Amino acid sequence: MTDPRIIVALDYPDAASANRLVARLDPALCRLKVGKELFTAEGPAFVASLVHRGYGVFLDLKFHDIPNTVARACLAASRLGIWMLNVHASGGRAMMEAAREAVEHAATPPRLIAVTVLTSMNQPTLAEIGVGDTLHEQVLRLARLAAQCGLDGVVCSAQEAPMLREDIGSDFLLVTPGIRPADACLDDQARVVTPAKALRQGSDYLVIGRPITQAPDPLQALQRVQAEILNTLSRTSQ
Ligand code: C5P
């Protein structure tokens, strides 16, 4: 079975526009990320339709609530047959452990990963909510806690990936947005890395939106990133 490393971000307002893209992609080459906008607009039936079409789905809803509520939400999400879902590590140990136990009850348990510190936050905004540690210390603290709670990995920037890979070890999944092929437009991303560099930094899965979704030929853009990934993986395994 293939394990596509590319997760295409379906940042669309409705199913019709998302479906126009999905019809041009290939589930053997990518997985799909459904976030709060599309899920709120189209709901679980749309997610189930992607699963039915053979796609691995990362349901990016970043649950953060009391343990019982998060556990029940994770179980409901798992029943859709998704491949991955996430929670906020700042919800704490009891919440993450409850989430992990809930997904284990699913027929095919999805990967459960955590968000550490949102990349929209910086040192002053962390201080404003009472976090005195540096950004890196806080990312590391929350990633370690997620690992201790039995979560499968975290979402992280490629800059954080080497530190997390070294600290937590090789079994921990690192899922990385902010990816731009060398010739792509930055859009609103400030710090980007190429697919090859993200893999070399230790990322397992790459979240890629506009370089694929806005490309004149999305399948060709996907195939080009896939070729770069295969090339990098074959070099690193030599
Ligand atoms: O279009 P682009 O490749 O920038 O899309 C990246 C996707 O990854 C978007 O869905 C965005 O919300 C998400 N993301 C991100 N940075 C994070 C976490 C998630 O860009 N730190």
Side-chain angles (χ1 to χ4, degrees):
M1 204 190 114
T2 59
D3 179 20
R5 306 298 189 105
I6 302 167
I7 305 173
V8 176
L10 289 185
D11 292 325
Y12 290 100
D14 52 50
S17 20
N19 281 333
R20 276 195 287 278
L21 174 81
V22 174
R24 304 176 71 182
L25 298 177
D26 178 352
L29 295 184
C30 67
R31 290 174 162 116
L32 301 173
K33 180 170 88 70
V34 175
K36 288 185 167 101
E37 180 189 17
L38 189 52
F39 186 78
T40 303
E42 299 291 351
F46 175 70
V47 172
S49 79
L50 297 176
V51 174
H52 184 70
R53 280 180 268 177
Y55 283 96
V57 175
F58 170 17
L59 192 59
D60 179 21
L61 296 182
K62 301 185 181 70
F63 292 133
H64 187 175
D65 209 311
I66 59 171
N68 181 57
T69 301
V70 167
R72 296 175 75 107
C74 287
L75 182 56
S78 304
R79 290 195 177 122
L80 299 174
I82 56 172
W83 165 70
M84 176 176 275
L85 82 166
N86 58 2
V87 299
H88 269 284
S90 52
R93 182 184 294 276
M95 191 203 79
M96 284 194 279
E97 286 178 348
R100 192 205 61 223
E101 280 164 29
V103 300
E104 281 166 4
H105 284 103
T108 45
R111 317 292 190 276
L112 176 65
I113 65 169
V115 175
T116 58
V117 178
L118 293 170
T119 46
S120 52
M121 300 204 71
N122 56 22
Q123 208 62 57
T125 54
L126 268 187
E128 205 169 31
I129 59 165
V131 177
D133 285 345
T134 68
L135 193 82
H136 269 78
E137 283 166 350
Q138 183 68 356
V139 167
L140 196 52
R141 174 196 302 277
L142 290 174
R144 283 176 180 160
L145 184 61
Q148 284 166 19
C149 294
L151 269 65
D152 298 304
V154 289
V155 182
C156 71
S157 73
Q159 284 79 13
E160 293 159 358
M163 160 184 88
L164 295 175
R165 179 60 70 224
E166 188 183 1
D167 192 84
I168 303 182
S170 58
D171 285 347
F172 202 58
L173 299 179
L174 302 180
V175 178
T176 305
I179 306 294
R180 288 293 178 271
D183 55 355
C185 162
L186 292 191
D187 303 304
D188 55 356
Q189 297 277 16
R191 291 184 308 277
V192 300
V193 297
T194 62
K197 182 158 186 202
L199 292 178
R200 287 198 301 270
Q201 303 264 68
S203 298
D204 296 292
Y205 296 104
L206 314 180
V207 176
I208 307 178
R210 288 159 290 182
I212 291 172
T213 62
Q214 305 300 309
D217 184 340
L219 182 60
Q220 189 187 57
L222 175 61
Q223 286 166 334
R224 286 174 65 177
V225 178
Q226 172 72 353
E228 183 175 337
I229 288 173
L230 290 179
N231 189 23
T232 309
L233 291 177
S234 67
R235 281 162 196 251
T236 49
S237 66
Q238 278 165 15

